[in-house]
Amino acid sequence: MPTSTETIENIIRPKKTFSLYDFREVWNYRELLAFFTWRDLKVRYKQTAIGALWAIFQPFITMVVFSVFFGTLAQIPSDNVPYPIFVYVGLLFWQFFSGALSDTSNVLISNQAIITKVYFPRLILPLSSVTTKFVDFAIAAFILAGMMIYYGYVPELASIAVIPLLLIITFMAAVGGGLFLAAINVKYRDVRFVLPFFIQTLLFVTPVIYPASIAGKYSWLLALNPMMGVIQTARATLLGTAPINWELVSISFAACLVLLVIGTVYFKKVERYFADVI
Amino acid sequence: MTMQPIIEIKGIGKKYTISHSAGGYIALRDVLANIFKNPFRFAAHKAKTAMGIDTKEAFWALREVDLSINKGEIIGIIGSNGAGKSTLLKILTGITPPTEGEIIMRGRVASLLEVGTGFHPELTGRENIYLNGAILGMTRKEISQKFDAIVAFSGVEKFLDTPVRYYSSGMYVRLAFSVAAHMEPDILLVDEVLAVGDAEFQKKCLGKMEEVVKETGRTILFVSHNMAAVEKLCTKCVLIDGGRVKMVGNTKEVIDFYLHTRKEMSDSDLGARTDRKGSGFVRFNSCEVIEMDQEKHLLRLAIGYVNKTITPYVNAKVSIGIKNAKGEDLSNITNSVLDQKIELKPGKGMIEVEIKHFNLETGEYLLDLFMATDSLNSEILDVVVDAAVINVDNAGFYRTKRLPPVPSKVLFDFRFTQHP
């Protein structure tokens, strides 16, 4: 947001490629990012009767249902950890990722009234969706803390460093994938009907409800899925299911970085047409 | 102290490629289906596009626009619908980039393309002031400083903590305009905002804009169809026609020139006009005065249409807007207020409208024609702005062929009776 009152010279030219200036611009508009996040949280919590509890309610109920059906009835292995806490760690990261991905991919359509009327860096919108989901994540993390106390787990000291890294990877995956899908969604309006199905399917190829070890010697294939590395590592560091596999973390990080670059480049390429197409 | 213009527009052009898809947007499903059905045609098309033999139809919404605007000027931008006025504002705000050319702006820009942008119905008035302010480019600090002034100007103090979805449309617009009016940009872009709100509030807005300019030397670009407002507010005027700047100069001269050319245009064949909106399944093709009787104060219009489909529209809505030469709406005549049914049969047809007591003062009036499938405007069939000009001669309105000594826009049929 241009705050200074001295003369600012603004030059408008046909847009070709993106430059570093675009990122500086996003930084200048950070206050708007905060406003959009605040709006989304406020509106959502106003619309639901239970308000902020919704953020806890959703993963908690899913955890209970999964524990009953997959843990108790189907007897799915859980790396020698009680199934509820095993699945909750997975769900916590998964719902952050999937929620952010689906919100991000719809964010341009749902804000089209603003996009066609006012200029601001469009990257702000997807970023605010992910930030909103991060707030939900932070609230839902309290349940995990409670469960860890209940089941008597003490996280490794390394997790102080590892968890933020995992969050960064998830953030990159959601932003990268979300930017790509958001741009496609503007161009092809039928994409949004396929998306829920797509995200649903992703859940089953990610070791959320089952341990990655179930795939045996093919588990390296799962490593291409960045969320697999995140969830595996989270379990390793929080529940001590296995030593942290740094190789896996690196692969996930690299995969997300590639995803983020592809997403951003594609988004920036399509961005200039948003106001015309929407 | 620089004497450089605050806005320099150099050779701006904006090209749109016209897509022929029916729904207005592309479905990935259709694209994929096309690739599978005709893989060779798709490949050939891609190759052609890549080689630069573009087969898409291009449309230049703006071309070779050059303008320079000095600090403190209030510039009116006028032109008929689709002339490219709004595209120019969109480029100036950065919403859409130009295809060619360059613009240098020396100052902070803010736009009022539509008031209330980003208002969220679930949020309260207070919350929306902050959100809307941020979207329009104000910082949190600035909004807090001006908060009281914004609230006072809008006059919705009592409802600040009520979600705006409970607001009346008038309150909503007032609050939205107040936020926008308190921005302090060097350049303010305004598009048709004054078409909303009640007359008193409109006056207040115009006053606020004048005050802003006089006190702080701000520059305003004002796009409007309301010639009266443009004339009142603007010092200089730009006429845009067909994407090009046709005339720049003194407001009065430009407006006179525009009104004159518009009148000429309305004389051209109505069916062939391209500056229209709506689905086009049924189109107006003529609009003529068949009778204007001064003594009976009667006006009869014949409006011709062509229904290009094979189905009749049994409950159509047809309306005729009457405007004065400056473009101010005077009245609207529509069958829906009378609950009268109009059926548009396939092929050519004619609708006759009889207006009794046609009592406008002598002068030129413009007619806008509008047609929709039903009174709810579910599907708009055809809209033609300035479809026809009618020359009203009401010099003989009164039996005596005399007119009131004070100019009267409307003439009434009156009678005096004396009681001793």
Side-chain angles (χ1 to χ4, degrees):
Chain A
M1 229 163 281
T3 49
S4 57
T5 43
E6 78 259 25
T7 310
I8 319 143
E9 195 161 296
N10 223 332
I11 299 178
I12 299 173
R13 286 206 186 93
K15 271 197 181 165
K16 288 276 184 280
T17 46
F18 71 93
S19 57
L20 279 177
Y21 174 75
D22 292 325
F23 297 102
R24 211 176 63 211
E25 205 184 16
V26 170
W27 175 248
N28 289 340
Y29 276 82
R30 63 191 180 279
E31 215 171 68
L32 185 60
L33 175 71
F35 267 113
F36 278 137
T37 308
W38 167 80
R39 174 195 69 178
D40 290 347
L41 288 169
K42 194 120 197 174
V43 167
R44 190 148 42 97
Y45 295 150
K46 264 189 187 178
Q47 279 169 341
T48 57
I50 54 166
L53 281 177
W54 182 246
I56 294 177
F57 193 70
Q58 209 183 348
F60 187 76
I61 293 299
T62 318
M63 181 269 287
V64 170
V65 171
F66 281 11
S67 298
V68 169
F69 287 94
F70 297 121
T72 313
L73 298 177
Q75 294 284 329
I76 286 177
S78 54
D79 287 343
N80 303 319
V81 167
Y83 191 82
I85 194 165
F86 169 87
V87 81
Y88 195 80
V89 171
L91 279 173
L92 197 58
F93 281 90
W94 175 255
Q95 291 195 339
F96 173 34
F97 171 74
S98 66
L101 190 67
S102 77
D103 276 12
T104 309
S105 43
N106 284 319
V107 75
L108 295 176
I109 306 280
S110 49
N111 285 289
Q112 56 171 290
I114 307 178
I115 289 182
T116 51
K117 304 269 159 50
V118 185
Y119 176 77
F120 55 87
R122 307 308 186 202
L123 272 172
I124 292 283
L125 284 171
L127 285 176
S128 83
S129 301
V130 181
T131 317
T132 310
K133 285 293 164 191
F134 177 72
V135 174
D136 286 353
F137 172 89
I139 297 172
F142 281 106
I143 292 275
L144 180 66
M147 285 174 83
M148 285 180 71
I149 294 167
Y150 179 80
Y151 286 104
Y153 280 97
V154 181
E156 287 176 35
L157 205 60
S159 54
I160 300 168
V162 176
I163 295 295
L165 180 65
L166 296 180
L167 285 173
I168 290 172
I169 297 178
T170 315
F171 198 89
M172 292 196 316
V175 173
L179 286 178
F180 186 75
L181 292 173
I184 287 192
N185 208 356
V186 168
K187 202 166 173 195
Y188 307 109
R189 290 298 175 85
D190 51 349
V191 169
R192 73 183 127 158
F193 304 115
V194 192
L195 269 177
F197 170 72
F198 172 70
I199 292 172
Q200 183 89 51
T201 315
L202 272 184
L203 170 67
F204 294 103
V205 298
T206 310
V208 176
I209 47 182
Y210 55 86
S213 51
I214 212 169
K217 61 175 176 170
Y218 296 109
S219 59
W220 62 271
L221 252 177
L222 288 174
L224 288 176
N225 174 352
M227 285 315 289
M228 181 262 186
V230 169
I231 291 171
Q232 277 298 91
T233 313
R235 279 176 186 149
T237 177
L238 290 173
L239 309 174
T241 50
I244 296 174
N245 185 345
W246 288 106
E247 200 183 329
L248 189 65
V249 178
S250 316
I251 296 176
S252 289
F253 190 84
C256 287
L257 200 61
V258 171
L259 192 62
L260 182 65
V261 170
I262 293 177
T264 314
V265 170
Y266 186 69
F267 185 87
K268 291 301 294 183
K269 194 179 158 222
V270 183
E271 182 190 38
R272 54 195 151 130
Y273 302 117
F274 285 163
D276 300 336
V277 176
I278 274 183
Chain B
M1 184 74 198
T2 48
M3 284 309 288
Q4 279 173 310
I6 194 162
I7 307 176
E8 265 180 84
I9 303 176
K10 297 178 199 159
I12 281 294
K14 173 76 184 178
K15 186 170 79 171
Y16 286 103
T17 39
I18 303 164
S19 70
H20 295 284
S21 59
Y25 62 83
I26 326 164
L28 186 60
R29 179 189 59 215
D30 298 341
V31 176
L32 292 178
N34 265 331
I35 296 176
F36 284 116
K37 269 193 231 154
N38 295 308
F40 297 109
R41 190 191 295 172
F42 178 77
H45 178 76
K46 274 277 164 201
K48 261 189 200 164
T49 324
M51 284 188 298
I53 317 166
D54 206 357
T55 51
K56 277 182 196 162
E57 249 182 270
F59 162 73
W60 287 88
L62 280 179
R63 199 83 206 258
E64 290 161 15
V65 172
D66 290 293
L67 268 181
S68 72
I69 291 155
N70 293 318
K71 196 169 183 298
E73 280 186 314
I74 315 179
I75 308 283
I77 299 177
I78 58 172
S80 51
N81 285 332
K85 307 181 301 278
S86 298
T87 308
L88 181 62
L89 279 206
K90 279 190 171 179
I91 292 174
L92 284 168
T93 45
I95 292 168
T96 185
T99 314
E100 56 180 35
E102 187 183 82
I103 299 173
I104 303 169
M105 298 219 256
R106 298 185 175 91
R108 197 175 150 189
V109 186
S111 69
L112 283 185
L113 285 189
E114 201 168 291
V115 288
T117 303
F119 262 40
H120 199 291
E122 292 289 339
L123 297 178
T124 65
R126 183 190 303 276
E127 289 162 346
N128 267 311
I129 290 178
Y130 276 93
L131 178 66
N132 190 230
I135 290 172
L136 294 174
M138 284 194 257
T139 61
R140 193 196 306 260
K141 222 175 103 192
E142 272 180 276
I143 305 166
S144 299
Q145 277 169 3
K146 288 174 195 150
F147 189 84
D148 293 335
I150 292 173
V151 175
F153 187 79
S154 68
V156 297
E157 291 97 334
K158 277 188 210 156
F159 307 96
L160 261 191
D161 294 305
T162 311
V164 296
R165 70 188 156 114
Y166 296 118
Y167 280 30
S168 71
S169 59
M171 279 159 68
Y172 188 94
V173 169
R174 285 214 298 273
L175 184 63
F177 187 87
S178 306
V179 179
H182 287 81
M183 287 186 293
E184 285 183 353
D186 303 305
I187 304 162
L188 183 64
L189 310 171
V190 187
D191 190 2
E192 292 288 352
V193 262
L194 303 175
V196 286
D198 51 71
E200 198 187 328
F201 189 70
Q202 281 185 21
K203 227 189 231 169
K204 206 171 159 188
C205 295
L206 283 173
K208 175 83 188 167
M209 278 169 68
E210 275 183 313
E211 174 198 311
V212 156
V213 172
K214 284 198 183 114
E215 282 179 8
T216 55
R218 222 158 289 166
T219 313
I220 298 185
L221 259 71
F222 182 48
V223 166
S224 181
H225 283 119
N226 185 340
M227 293 304 139
V230 172
E231 205 175 329
K232 186 173 184 312
L233 206 63
C234 303
T235 45
K236 217 168 122 181
C237 210
V238 177
L239 172 62
I240 296 185
D241 186 41
R244 286 165 195 269
V245 174
K246 201 159 184 189
M247 192 174 169
V248 186
N250 174 287
T251 304
K252 179 124 187 40
E253 282 167 29
V254 177
I255 288 179
D256 285 347
F257 177 78
Y258 170 59
L259 294 178
H260 181 73
T261 49
R262 195 167 58 161
K263 190 186 138 236
E264 278 179 357
M265 191 177 65
S266 62
D267 292 339
S268 66
D269 185 14
L270 190 58
R273 291 255 305 256
T274 52
D275 55 328
R276 57 210 304 159
K277 286 181 180 162
S279 69
F281 292 135
V282 186
R283 277 186 164 191
F284 293 110
N285 66 356
S286 68
C287 177
E288 279 162 24
V289 175
I290 44 177
E291 191 186 345
M292 194 183 292
D293 190 314
Q294 283 191 24
E295 274 163 29
K296 285 189 237 157
H297 312 153
L298 184 80
L299 175 68
R300 274 170 52 208
L301 298 169
I303 295 165
Y305 65 86
V306 192
N307 182 347
K308 291 170 189 163
T309 67
I310 48 165
T311 45
Y313 292 94
V314 287
N315 202 5
K317 176 186 172 183
V318 174
S319 78
I320 302 144
I322 302 178
K323 300 182 296 187
N324 66 13
K326 284 188 174 168
E328 289 170 302
D329 290 317
L330 299 178
S331 189
N332 194 281
I333 292 164
T334 172
N335 59 314
S336 64
V337 289
L338 301 178
D339 269 337
Q340 198 181 7
K341 282 196 176 182
I342 288 185
E343 184 179 347
L344 303 170
K345 295 202 176 85
K348 283 190 178 183
M350 184 73 81
I351 304 161
E352 204 187 293
V353 189
E354 187 184 290
I355 306 170
K356 284 179 189 160
H357 302 291
F358 191 82
N359 57 351
L360 293 172
E361 66 169 338
T362 301
E364 273 177 8
Y365 295 89
L366 290 147
L367 302 182
D368 293 345
L369 297 179
F370 173 95
M371 181 155 60
T373 48
D374 53 54
S375 56
L376 300 169
N377 299 344
S378 317
E379 192 194 331
I380 294 167
L381 294 165
D382 196 17
V383 183
V384 188
V385 175
D386 303 334
V389 175
I390 50 173
N391 281 297
V392 176
D393 177 11
N394 259 340
F397 190 85
Y398 297 110
R399 192 167 42 79
T400 55
K401 314 266 186 251
R402 258 182 261 149
L403 282 175
V406 178
S408 311
K409 290 188 191 268
V410 182
L411 306 170
F412 294 110
D413 199 355
F414 58 83
R415 179 189 318 209
F416 286 87
T417 322
Q418 219 177 353
H419 298 285

